[in-house]
Amino acid sequence: MAYELYYWPTIQGRGEFIRLALESAGAPYVDIARGPQDDGQGVPAMTHFLEDKRVVHPPFAPPFLKDGAVVVGQTAAILQYLAPELKLVPRSEQARIWTHQIQLTLCDIVAEAHDTHHPVGTGLYYEDQKAEALRRSTEFCSARMPKFLNWFEAVLARNPAGQRHLVGGKLSYADLSLFQVVEGLCYAFPKASARVLAKTPHVLKLRDRVASLPRVAAYLRSERRIAFNEDGIFRCYPELDV
Amino acid sequence: MAYELYYWPTIQGRGEFIRLALESAGAPYVDIARGPQDDGQGVPAMTHFLEDKRVVHPPFAPPFLKDGAVVVGQTAAILQYLAPELKLVPRSEQARIWTHQIQLTLCDIVAEAHDTHHPVGTGLYYEDQKAEALRRSTEFCSARMPKFLNWFEAVLARNPAGQRHLVGGKLSYADLSLFQVVEGLCYAFPKASARVLAKTPHVLKLRDRVASLPRVAAYLRSERRIAFNEDGIFRCYPELDV
């Protein structure tokens, strides 16, 4: 049976980390909120799980995944759930914990990248917090982005199985997620991220390697890949690229 | 062998979620950074894992846990790692995923609570971002805190095994973490959190029940429990309690 992914239909957002894992594994899935309402899909199908009081395990927010009777929310938990089946994580328990730890750190930088344009509140428009956004972006570009990317660089550099992957000698969902984070940073902060990536060559090579994986490359060219835009997590506001 | 917990020695912070799990299970552990440097403990013992280039799995930040040769970072990953051994999670795989999902959502509210006093940047002082902090706290108190606490209330209310626990019919680490979040919110935002908790009776009862567990109660009275203070995540700035 196909996995059902529930996420906002017009942005990459946090759902993209799940889409990339499913696409790179060639797994069958339905991107429910992008489907036709006449078939019981679309955004109302997603809202059901968030609002229906009969749902025993309600997700707090999209993305969430339905696999038969199982509903799993939270990006990192979904990837941890999917990965063994999709063969996107090593078998050893210790390697799985390490992969999850890297993914949680990727989720942290995603949250911080989001907050550069929404430092005051998610409920307000960017236009209502531009001054604060500039202050937060300045710290993000000069301190936080380098700190995170240097850590991923160190993880790659120290991997006993080689520098091609974050964990062990094979592709894991952490590699896919790091690819997506780098893509997002390059979109949102082209100058600032180029500055950091010039000093994190292993991260840069991993990004290029993931982009050229046949299934990933096909996905990126397809209509299933939503373009980056200014409703998502990574937004191109040139004034914030400092 | 005793677990080794590595976290900043003068704040509850994110380390407190690990301390509570270990304490409530009566597990042997050493709070390394609070120990004497003469015994190879203290903050330098912690910095070693963060800075020594020979560490193959460096944590991104405290807290992290050392269990023999295993080093695990990220609060939610540490709890997931510890819980089976400490009997703080049900046996079924599905219940474990659900518990982890709740914990990740607790980590999200912790991050947002932190950002109320540091909306512009962690590297700056609160005094340098007081105006922004007031704007962010206003949204946190009026929208985000109720949204999160209402979700935890719904999780409790819908638990088929009864309303005493978030998952199944026994204490899990998610219960302990929710206790800690409520304690923190009541410290930081006494008026705003009282307003919300008046409408989330199951959450309030869970907080009281956890506080009265013999091992937890003994811990809270002990010197091992660091008092809340204005260097941690939850800070009492009366002007932000809106």
Side-chain angles (χ1 to χ4, degrees):
Chain A
M1 203 162 62
Y3 295 109
E4 293 182 358
L5 169 66
Y6 293 78
Y7 195 66
W8 304 109
T10 58
I11 57 170
Q12 291 184 16
R14 289 180 169 82
E16 196 63 16
F17 297 93
I18 318 302
R19 291 191 187 109
L20 275 170
L22 293 163
E23 291 279 353
S24 93
Y29 75 103
V30 184
D31 204 337
I32 292 287
R34 296 170 76 185
Q37 292 196 30
D38 293 347
D39 294 351
Q41 300 182 31
V43 170
M46 184 167 83
T47 338
H48 156 73
F49 283 96
L50 299 170
E51 293 176 359
D52 190 322
K53 293 191 172 160
R54 291 163 301 180
V55 175
V56 175
H57 291 178
F60 182 74
F64 52 93
L65 182 95
K66 196 164 173 294
D67 178 18
V70 180
V71 182
V72 189
Q74 285 278 1
T75 309
I78 299 168
L79 289 168
Q80 192 180 35
Y81 173 82
L82 279 173
E85 183 84 18
L86 304 187
K87 304 204 188 312
L88 283 174
V89 72
R91 276 176 194 278
S92 101
E93 199 50 45
Q94 208 170 324
R96 288 187 179 185
I97 296 165
W98 177 230
T99 314
H100 190 53
Q101 188 179 329
I102 297 169
Q103 178 64 45
L104 288 170
T105 309
L106 285 158
C107 289
D108 286 346
I109 186 176
V110 166
E112 293 194 23
H114 170 273
D115 285 0
T116 57
H117 49 78
H118 274 74
V120 171
T122 44
L124 302 168
Y125 291 108
Y126 167 63
E127 284 66 26
D128 297 328
Q129 46 194 310
K130 285 181 80 164
E132 294 89 344
L134 180 58
R135 289 188 68 189
R136 178 123 186 184
S137 293
T138 304
E139 172 162 315
F140 182 77
C141 290
S142 66
R144 301 298 291 171
M145 194 200 314
K147 185 174 161 75
F148 277 104
L149 291 188
N150 286 334
W151 186 76
F152 297 119
E153 181 73 7
V155 170
L156 285 163
R158 298 182 198 174
N159 182 353
Q163 281 76 59
R164 294 170 59 88
H165 299 289
L166 287 160
V167 183
K170 281 180 63 184
L171 183 78
S172 73
Y173 64 86
D175 293 330
L176 298 168
S177 295
L178 179 54
F179 158 81
Q180 173 65 13
V181 163
V182 173
E183 287 294 278
L185 292 173
C186 289
Y187 174 77
F189 307 102
K191 283 184 289 183
S193 61
R195 215 161 50 220
V196 184
L197 287 167
K199 293 178 185 169
T200 55
H202 295 312
V203 171
L204 198 57
K205 277 185 217 154
L206 183 141
R207 190 271 300 264
D208 295 344
R209 199 176 306 121
V210 169
S212 68
L213 293 171
R215 285 205 190 101
V216 173
Y219 167 63
L220 296 176
R221 281 192 309 266
S222 76
E223 288 191 354
R224 300 189 299 286
R225 172 79 159 185
I226 301 165
F228 281 109
N229 62 54
E230 278 55 63
D231 293 318
I233 288 165
F234 298 106
R235 304 188 186 183
C236 182
Y237 298 130
E239 64 273 23
L240 300 185
D241 183 18
V242 285
Chain B
M1 204 161 63
Y3 295 108
E4 293 182 358
L5 169 66
Y6 292 79
Y7 194 66
W8 304 109
T10 58
I11 57 170
Q12 291 184 16
R14 290 181 168 82
E16 197 63 17
F17 298 93
I18 318 301
R19 291 192 187 108
L20 275 169
L22 293 163
E23 291 278 353
S24 92
Y29 75 102
V30 184
D31 205 337
I32 293 286
R34 296 170 76 185
Q37 292 196 29
D38 292 348
D39 294 353
Q41 300 182 33
V43 170
M46 185 167 84
T47 332
H48 156 72
F49 284 97
L50 300 170
E51 293 177 0
D52 189 323
K53 293 190 173 160
R54 290 164 301 181
V55 175
V56 176
H57 290 179
F60 182 74
F64 52 94
L65 181 94
K66 194 163 173 294
D67 178 18
V70 181
V71 182
V72 189
Q74 285 279 1
T75 310
I78 300 169
L79 290 168
Q80 192 180 36
Y81 172 82
L82 280 174
E85 184 84 18
L86 304 186
K87 303 203 188 315
L88 283 174
V89 72
R91 275 177 195 278
S92 100
E93 200 50 43
Q94 209 171 323
R96 288 188 179 185
I97 297 164
W98 177 229
T99 314
H100 190 53
Q101 188 179 328
I102 297 170
Q103 179 64 46
L104 288 171
T105 309
L106 285 159
C107 289
D108 286 345
I109 186 178
V110 167
E112 294 194 22
H114 170 273
D115 285 359
T116 57
H117 49 78
H118 274 75
V120 171
T122 44
L124 302 168
Y125 291 108
Y126 167 62
E127 284 66 26
D128 297 327
Q129 45 193 312
K130 284 181 80 165
E132 295 89 343
L134 180 59
R135 289 187 70 190
R136 177 122 188 188
S137 293
T138 304
E139 172 162 314
F140 182 76
C141 290
S142 66
R144 300 298 291 171
M145 195 199 317
K147 184 174 160 76
F148 277 105
L149 292 188
N150 287 334
W151 186 76
F152 297 119
E153 181 74 7
V155 170
L156 285 163
R158 297 180 199 175
N159 182 354
Q163 282 76 58
R164 294 171 58 87
H165 299 289
L166 286 161
V167 183
K170 281 180 63 184
L171 183 77
S172 74
Y173 64 86
D175 293 331
L176 297 169
S177 295
L178 180 54
F179 157 81
Q180 175 64 12
V181 163
V182 173
E183 287 293 278
L185 293 173
C186 288
Y187 174 77
F189 308 101
K191 283 185 289 185
S193 61
R195 217 161 50 221
V196 183
L197 288 166
K199 293 178 184 168
T200 55
H202 294 311
V203 171
L204 197 56
K205 278 185 215 154
L206 182 140
R207 189 271 299 261
D208 295 344
R209 200 177 306 122
V210 169
S212 68
L213 293 171
R215 283 206 193 101
V216 173
Y219 167 63
L220 296 177
R221 281 191 310 267
S222 76
E223 288 190 352
R224 299 189 301 286
R225 171 79 160 185
I226 301 165
F228 282 109
N229 62 55
E230 278 55 62
D231 293 318
I233 289 165
F234 298 106
R235 304 188 185 184
C236 183
Y237 297 131
E239 64 273 23
L240 300 184
D241 183 18
V242 284

